[in-house]
Amino acid sequence: MTTYAVTGHMDLTDETVGLVRDALREVFATHTEGELVGVSCIAAGADSIFAEELLAVGGRLIVVLPSRDYRQAKVKPEHAPTFDRLVAAAAEVVVMPHENANRQAYEAANAELLRRGDRLVAVWDGTPSSGKGGGTADTVELAQAEGLAVDVVWPEGAARRG
């Protein structure tokens, strides 16, 4: 069994979503031994795309929510149906012991992802850390420091909004 954790950008362009879906299918197609398990915070963008593609190939989804108020405080109305569907489809939902969604809660959730994962899939354009903590680059750096294998997914032609 291999457990894949995910980190990635939320602000993918519409065209990039399709490219990332295809690339994630390729990552999952290389999995040949035992059960396929994925761990995701199911935020909009890369996290949810990862979760959807994992479920589409019969993988088992573990959702890690950064805080008790994450759904109410941070999930935007346009993402709420996807978020709720993924929570309902998850084999396990872990809520970190934080009341409020903030940088500390995100860092704790990322640490939990890495603790549970054997590999990290990073939907990442290579942009360095902002220095605020809890972002994609920070999670990649932490995974590398912990000796976790990191699979960067950033297909040719991929872009972020803005």
Side-chain angles (χ1 to χ4, degrees), residues 10 40-43 47 63-75 83 87 93-113 134:
M10 298 175 68
S40 175
C41 292
I42 65 171
D47 288 8
V63 170
V64 176
L65 300 179
S67 64
R68 288 178 186 72
D69 76 339
Y70 185 77
R71 166 70 169 78
Q72 296 76 18
K74 296 296 180 181
V75 177
F83 181 92
V87 166
V93 177
V94 177
V95 180
M96 300 306 295
H98 295 271
E99 287 300 320
N100 303 105
N102 56 31
R103 190 63 50 205
Q104 183 181 16
Y106 300 145
E107 289 175 359
N110 288 338
E112 182 68 10
L113 287 173

Side-chain angles (χ1 to χ4, degrees), residues 12-26 49 53 123 153-159:
L12 304 174
T13 65
D14 291 341
E15 180 180 287
T16 298
V17 169
L19 297 172
V20 168
R21 283 187 188 283
D22 291 343
L24 289 171
R25 286 183 200 120
E26 289 178 23
I49 295 165
E53 293 304 321
V123 180
V153 171
W154 196 251
E156 187 173 330

Side-chain angles (χ1 to χ4, degrees), residues 21-158:
R21 283 187 188 283
D22 291 343
L24 289 171
R25 286 183 200 120
E26 289 178 23
V27 169
F28 295 144
T30 65
H31 178 83
T32 57
E33 292 186 26
E35 183 178 27
L36 176 62
V37 179
V39 186
S40 175
C41 292
I42 65 171
D47 288 8
S48 289
I49 295 165
F50 170 92
E52 289 171 336
E53 293 304 321
L54 175 86
L55 291 168
V57 297
R60 184 165 63 92
L61 176 63
I62 299 170
V63 170
V64 176
L65 300 179
S67 64
R68 288 178 186 72
D69 76 339
Y70 185 77
R71 166 70 169 78
Q72 296 76 18
K74 296 296 180 181
V75 177
K76 299 202 179 328
E78 62 271 13
H79 182 59
T82 300
F83 181 92
D84 292 341
R85 183 174 37 78
L86 292 172
V87 166
E92 181 181 353
V93 177
V94 177
V95 180
M96 300 306 295
H98 295 271
E99 287 300 320
N100 303 105
N102 56 31
R103 190 63 50 205
Q104 183 181 16
Y106 300 145
E107 289 175 359
N110 288 338
E112 182 68 10
L113 287 173
L114 297 180
R115 186 185 74 73
R116 289 173 173 261
D118 299 313
R119 300 185 71 85
L120 177 68
V121 174
V123 180
W124 179 46
D125 65 358
T127 303
S129 171
S130 67
K132 296 178 186 175
T136 301
D138 301 301
T139 306
V140 169
E141 289 173 14
L142 186 57
Q144 291 170 332
E146 293 180 5
L148 226 62
V150 177
D151 300 307
V152 175
V153 171
W154 196 251
E156 187 173 330

